[in-house]
Amino acid sequence: MSGGCRCTRKLTLAMSGCVIILVIALTVGLCVGLGGDDEVKREDTPKFTIDHEANTFLLDGEPFQYVSGSFHYFRALPDAWRSRLQTMRASGLNALDTYIEWSLHNPHDGVYNWEGIADVVKFLEMAQEEGFYIVLRPGPYICAERDNGGLPHWLFTKYPNIKVRTNDSNYLAEVEKWYDILMPRIQHLFIGNGGKIIMVQVENEYGAFDACDHDYLNWLRDETEKHVSGNALLFTVDIPNERMSCGKIENVFATTDFGIDRIHEIDEIWKMLRNLQPTGPLVNSEFYPGWLTHWQEENQRRDGQVVADALKTILSYNASVNLYMFFGGTNFGFTAGANWNLDGGIGYAADVTSYDYDAVMDEAGGVTSKYELVKKAIGELWTLPEITLTPAKRLSYGKVELTPSLQLLSSEGRAALSKGVPVESEKPKTFEELDQYSGLVLYETTLPDMDLDPALLKVEQINDRAQVFVDQELVGTLSREANIYALPLSKGWGSTLQLLVENQGRVNYDLLNDTKGIFGDVSLQLHNGGYLTLENWKSTSFPLEEAAVASWLKQRTNKELDSLITRQRILRNGPILYSGTVKVDEIGDTYLNMAGWGKGVAYVNGFNLGRYWPVAGPQVTLYVPNELLKVGDNSIAILEYQRANKTTSGTDLPAVQFDAVAQLDGQSGDVKK
Ligand SMILES: *[C@@H]1O[C@H](CO)[C@@H](O)[C@H](O)[C@H]1NC(C)=O
Ligand SMILES: *[C@@H]1O[C@H](CO)[C@@H](O)[C@H](O)[C@H]1NC(C)=O
Ligand SMILES: *[C@@H]1O[C@H](CO)[C@@H](O)[C@H](O)[C@H]1NC(C)=O
Ligand SMILES: *[C@@H]1O[C@H](CO)[C@@H](O)[C@H](O)[C@H]1NC(C)=O
């Protein structure tokens, strides 16, 4: 292989190395056979280990260094995996880093998914074929800016008070069950079993988590090792700060993570790591060439030259390094997470759909000027492989008019897109109680006779956003992001109160019980200064899963909607599903430009591209992978919650546009080169 750092194969194991290998073997389990093709074999020597004297990894007894890139299979379509991997390999990377997302593979209790985008074994095998070693990060908590940090929502359905990432026996039992199903599928890929997985992570940035529960960490180490059996190296990753020791696990190799903003303190960072672990190779497991972006903030950009220079600095310490993200991709569907209480004290902030991340490659897998600079830096370390890339074309398909086709809150809309009969209960049911991953839940109750005009409606907590209707007329919006939990209602507006609550993404970091729906009391102000708690609720699930939208599109009658509804610019009677067709002559990557629309979710050929919210920004376009398109007619469905792209005067239909360039930096922002 041309990765550079593996030299000739002569096995000269230093005695100290052996001792350390033995120590590791004793603590993490048995040393097992190598099963390689080498002429020199040592039955008791792991293929991949650590030389604590030379402070380096050893691969087959030879010093080894890696420069890896993160690419999460669940953020690109399977038909795009190989070209992304080849583009990464062409930059000189010799290793690939990926998380495994529990919630993708185990969407409901007892239900497993290993097909298509969830075919992680196929992905890992493909990475091996493309010449990568693999750094595997199975979590089970992964953060990753994904809904709930990758933990399945149904953990809260099954155990409402579960304390995830701790010694909670319910959590441990579920993790054990999950690893018993996952690990046998990937075992053959561990380096000791003839595959290319050199390292397996235990937990993820655990030091940053308040619990600091070492019983749990030790248990998870043993549980992971039960499956790895010395056939790959266990490791941890922790943010370099005073909480680092909360993430350190005895007998597990420790690494750290930092980006360009902390490169000036690299010596202090290595010192922190050395305090935790005096010897062994230095590893930055998450070197950030970009950063994540939330809605309603500026798109995060990082300068390519600064990134390349920082990479060279890290490599000058002989460190191994993973670029997080090398290729970011997309949070398709409802998979984007959220953050909580970030620096600056803001509360809840949802992550955008794009995970472009200003990574080394762009969201569509294309090379950028940052890519060329990073490639050059890696080229100073070892010889780059010769790989010819054939990037997909990026095409504009122009303007497409959309027809208002279905009103979500009408009886037809409920029949088509809700999960069935509403659940009746004294208090509103949470998404988790309804075993609902995402989408919307409609909460309805009868308003009492009001003795004030207006009277304040108060909700203790909404996760995360509610459109409020009385008799299906919009009266306002409540929002966790904006900390708005009350609005006035006028006497005589009607008798049915309706709150349509959107899950904007479960928090992925630190706060890990971010269940969704309405919490605490919903109450109405009284003349005597008190509040009346509203009870007897009907909760209706709208999971907005692809199959439901696709099947409605297929079976629908072309019945026209009421012309009053059709002419609406502000959707005063609830979300509307708009549908249309884009004609494609030549297939390419494209971007669905949502300028002029409000907030919602978009489907192309039945595939959920993700949430859009151009009025908030900064993301304006949704990436449409070429793999979704076919020559001829392609269907578009837009479920808009708030506002149609329409002029006040015009009688024309609202429209979207398919552009050849992404717009991630706001309506007037720069376009990424
Ligand atoms: C962790 O759980 C085990 C088994 O339930 C128990 O023996 C142990 O005391 C627990 N440790 C802590 C810190 O709760
Ligand atoms: C890096 O490794 C080389 C070759 O083994 C060695 O000469 C050099 O001193 C090392 N540099 C650092 C900073 O450890
Ligand atoms: C989540 O956990 C925190 C801290 O343990 C607790 O205060 C809060 O009530 C919990 N929230 C939910 C919705 O269970
Ligand atoms: C509606 O979309 C079209 C096509 O993308 C765009 O040109 C137009 O500016 C949008 N209209 C409004 C009112 O924003």
Side-chain angles (χ1 to χ4, degrees), residues 160 163 463 511 513 515 519:
K163 298 259 177 297
N463 294 349
L511 179 90
N513 58 358
T515 48
F519 298 84

Side-chain angles (χ1 to χ4, degrees), residues 69-71 76 80-91 93 96 132 289-290 301 323-329 354-372 374 389 391 394 591 664 672-673:
S70 283
F71 162 18
W81 287 346
R82 195 175 292 278
S83 70
R84 303 292 183 274
L85 289 167
Q86 287 174 346
T87 308
M88 292 175 73
R89 188 74 187 98
S91 75
L93 299 178
L96 173 96
F132 287 106
R301 295 281 185 197
L323 288 107
Y324 185 103
M325 299 298 297
F326 198 93
F327 164 69
S354 172
Y355 206 58
D356 176 275
Y357 207 85
D358 203 22
V360 181
M361 288 155 66
D362 68 20
E363 185 177 3
V367 302
T368 60
S369 56
K370 189 178 285 179
Y371 177 96
E372 300 300 344
V374 165
L389 303 174
R394 298 185 183 188
Y591 298 91
L664 300 176
K672 187 174 180 177
K673 284 187 288 292

Side-chain angles (χ1 to χ4, degrees), residues 399 593 595-597 643-647 654-657:
K399 188 171 152 180
N593 191 329
W597 293 80
R643 174 200 205 278
N645 156 308
K646 224 169 168 331
T647 51
V656 292
Q657 193 152 308

Side-chain angles (χ1 to χ4, degrees), residues 239-250:
I239 300 168
N241 61 27
E242 67 293 342
R243 292 193 55 88
M244 238 181 155
S245 60
C246 275
K248 174 74 179 112
I249 312 176
E250 210 180 329

Side-chain angles (χ1 to χ4, degrees), residues 274-296:
R274 283 288 181 236
N275 282 340
L276 220 57
Q277 174 175 271
T279 56
L282 297 169
V283 181
N284 182 354
S285 287
E286 291 189 6
F287 167 57
Y288 311 109
W291 194 243
L292 61 110
T293 300
H294 304 105
W295 294 110
Q296 314 210 52

Side-chain angles (χ1 to χ4, degrees), residues 158-178:
K158 198 167 173 181
Y159 315 104
N161 298 313
I162 193 169
K163 298 259 177 297
V164 299
R165 304 179 75 195
T166 72
N167 193 32
D168 180 319
S169 56
N170 290 327
Y171 184 65
L172 302 191
E174 292 299 339
V175 172
E176 182 176 357
K177 201 191 290 179
W178 164 232

